[in-house]
Amino acid sequence: MPTAESDDAQVGALIRTNHWRTAAGLLPVHASRELEVAATNHSRFMATTPSSCWPGAHGEVASCMGFTGADPGSRVRQAGFPGGAAEVINWDPNPVSSIDGWVWTVYHRQPFVDARWNVVGYGSVPGPFNGRQTRHNTMEFGSLSSMPRGTIAEPVIFPPPGTTGVPPGFRGDLEGPRPPAPRSTMRWPSGQVITVTFPSNTVTILHHRIYNTLCEPLVHSTFARTEDAAHDVTGDRQIATAGFVFLYADTALQPNSDHTVELEAMVDGRRWYRVWSFRTR
């Protein structure tokens, strides 16, 4: 639910976030006023100061006017939130495109499909960016013990089975940090990002395929995310030291077409196997 003080943009962002969360089988998140304040403060800071004042977008330079905290954790605590946070930032024009802009990436998708977060705060402030007028959007993810908190009993698949309107391509060169380029081309766009978030931090990938609408296997690249890097899964079998695996076709997918993913893994000594499909727009 939104807070009593949530504005229209914050309500819209919450609705869109929970659209994707529930589609992926996760509990919906609730708005936190403290996280909304922290997110809005940082968005306002970016909108009103030179980019040199916010290195990497997530930082703030203390000597700059309007400083609210050097990092996301500092900013949410300054706003009264009792804990740390995950933060995502972009410059899309409205709440729906902002949430979708994060969801259809690699690393910015992660907090949206993480069952541990149960509260969020969105802030959007108009201002200049790279020579154009747009909106500076920040979203904070946190967890409160007083709110329902989900656990990942089963791996979380995204795009969820049966999703339609999936963007065919992914410009990984526009995401920061930049994910690994497709192996066979080393060029962008790739096909849309497919992710599986496992409930264990030790996963062995046994088999992975992406098929087009004719059931032809597509050349694709598969990676496993560790704490500080994404490691290439060069064959069918690879031990991942984190529970987040992502793959994409090495070139953009065919528009308005069905695509199927097949993935097999060992998770905590048990075999996990899924085949699911989605449709591009």
Side-chain angles (χ1 to χ4, degrees):
M1 293 183 61
T3 70
E5 297 86 1
S6 297
D7 61 28
D8 289 346
Q10 290 164 337
V11 172
L14 182 66
I15 291 171
R16 192 62 174 174
T17 296
N18 284 330
H19 164 80
W20 292 120
R21 294 267 299 185
T22 56
L26 297 172
L27 291 176
V29 291
H30 297 265
S32 156
R33 187 55 187 164
E34 292 79 10
L35 293 183
E36 288 179 339
V37 168
T40 301
N41 286 345
H42 186 57
S43 290
R44 184 177 298 112
F45 182 84
M46 292 189 293
T48 57
T49 62
S51 58
S52 58
C53 285
W54 29 282
H58 298 284
E60 289 188 12
V61 176
S63 59
C64 292
M65 186 176 298
F67 173 76
T68 66
D71 53 61
S74 299
R75 292 192 289 272
V76 301
R77 288 189 292 273
Q78 177 66 24
F81 187 78
E87 182 180 84
V88 291
I89 293 168
N90 67 15
W91 294 269
D92 280 83
N94 61 68
V96 171
S97 66
S98 180
I99 298 303
D100 287 359
W102 288 316
V103 163
W104 297 119
T105 64
V106 175
Y107 304 129
H108 291 74
R109 177 185 295 175
Q110 283 189 269
F112 289 89
V113 295
D114 191 330
R116 295 172 299 175
W117 305 124
N118 58 20
V119 287
V120 297
Y122 178 81
S124 182
V125 176
F129 179 69
N130 284 350
R132 60 187 174 93
Q133 286 294 319
T134 185
R135 301 194 70 88
H136 297 256
N137 308 304
T138 305
M139 193 164 203
E140 310 287 358
F141 294 78
S143 183
L144 291 175
S145 59
S146 59
M147 302 289 291
R149 180 175 176 175
T151 58
I152 304 177
E154 288 291 326
V156 179
I157 294 167
F158 207 95
T163 302
T164 60
V166 173
F170 168 58
R171 287 286 304 275
D173 53 325
L174 300 181
E175 185 175 15
R178 183 177 296 184
R183 287 197 312 272
S184 69
T185 64
M186 299 304 293
R187 297 176 62 184
W188 304 100
S190 69
Q192 185 50 240
V193 182
I194 300 158
T195 60
V196 181
T197 307
F198 288 96
S200 169
N201 282 335
T202 301
V203 178
T204 304
I205 304 299
L206 302 176
H207 177 79
H208 47 88
R209 292 288 186 273
I210 304 174
Y211 301 95
N212 64 16
T213 192
L214 300 176
C215 293
E216 299 167 333
L218 300 177
V219 176
H220 68 283
S221 300
T222 308
F223 305 93
R225 178 77 188 268
T226 67
E227 290 299 320
D228 57 357
H231 292 276
D232 199 352
V233 179
T234 54
D236 268 351
R237 187 180 181 91
Q238 172 75 19
I239 295 177
T241 55
F244 187 75
V245 173
F246 58 99
L247 57 156
Y248 26 75
D250 285 12
T251 58
L253 302 175
Q254 185 72 23
N256 197 32
S257 299
D258 294 319
H259 295 79
T260 300
V261 185
E262 182 181 19
L263 193 67
E264 182 181 7
M266 292 296 293
V267 183
D268 291 336
R270 296 184 178 182
R271 178 179 177 268
W272 179 85
Y273 177 77
R274 290 291 186 279
V275 178
W276 75 98
S277 298
F278 59 87
R279 187 170 182 83
T280 54
R281 65 188 181 197

